[in-house]
Amino acid sequence: MHIQDLIIKDKEQVKLADIFLSESNRSQINQLIKENLYAEDLDRYGLPVTNKVLLYGSSGCGKTTSAKGIAQALGKPLVILNLSNVINARIGETSQHLKQVFDRAIRDKAVLFLDEFDQIGKARGEDENDVGEMRRLVNTLIQLIDYFPIDCVLIAASNHVDIIDSALIRRFQLRLSYEMPSTEALDDYYDALLARFPAELHPSNRRYGISYAEAKDEALKEVKYKLIQQLEQGSKP
């Protein structure tokens, strides 16, 4: 399998300032970025640089956009693992393909993003059908992470951190939890999302108890519905 089949191309630029994060997560991500911008200076003093990050928690709450924002802030290319092609490969090839992706990220001095990390970092012994293969895969990952250089950043994301092998979790110097947004956080998100649309296109009601991604889909669906209604009636918003 060619290296291009193992990587997802995503050129979307995301600014960290535009991502809705908890104060704690934003502060820790900002510190991560500063450490990597001054990596050589820290290294001269023998200070470790945080460059391995695990993002975990609820789906649709900003893990992927955070990875994109970190890459943009550091001015580094973003390399995204194509998980489906890696795990659907013939048995025994998964470790080899992972190494190819890590090598590519290292060569490009990139931010490497491993989404759905639990699918490749599942605790050894969880699946009786492929214990041998899973153990080899986790051992390979441990080695790849241990030797990941400081001029690159590794970001893994998972909605099911509880099934990830504990030896892998320990490799990440920074572990950030992404929780479902509060009512107040969603109100701020709705306000920012809808600010560019005329008031008459805004949703009649706002949904709560959902993720940012779900809120965006719901709100924009109603905006489009109202806009098309106005266009069909011959009036401009």
Side-chain angles (χ1 to χ4, degrees), residues 146-198:
D146 282 346
Y147 291 99
F148 201 66
I150 64 168
D151 57 358
C152 304
V153 176
L154 173 64
I155 302 176
S158 173
N159 301 336
H160 307 285
V161 70
D162 53 304
I163 67 173
I164 297 175
D165 195 287
S166 59
L168 282 172
I169 292 178
R170 289 196 299 271
R171 262 64 189 181
F172 293 92
Q173 307 120 315
L174 182 60
R175 300 185 281 273
L176 301 179
S177 174
Y178 283 66
E179 307 298 336
M180 293 290 280
S182 65
T183 297
E184 293 77 14
L186 275 175
D187 270 329
D188 290 341
Y189 181 72
Y190 282 124
D191 290 343
L193 179 67
L194 299 170
R196 61 193 176 98
F197 302 111

Side-chain angles (χ1 to χ4, degrees), residues 1 25 27 36 50 56 61 74 78 84 96 100 148 150 168 177 179 189 194 200 203-205 219 235:
M1 187 178 295
N25 283 0
S27 173
N36 282 271
T50 299
Y56 65 93
C61 291
L74 292 174
L78 181 65
S84 60
Q96 177 189 346
Q100 284 182 263
F148 201 66
I150 64 168
L168 282 172
S177 174
E179 307 298 336
Y189 181 72
L194 299 170
E200 60 267 24
S204 305
N205 297 293
S235 60

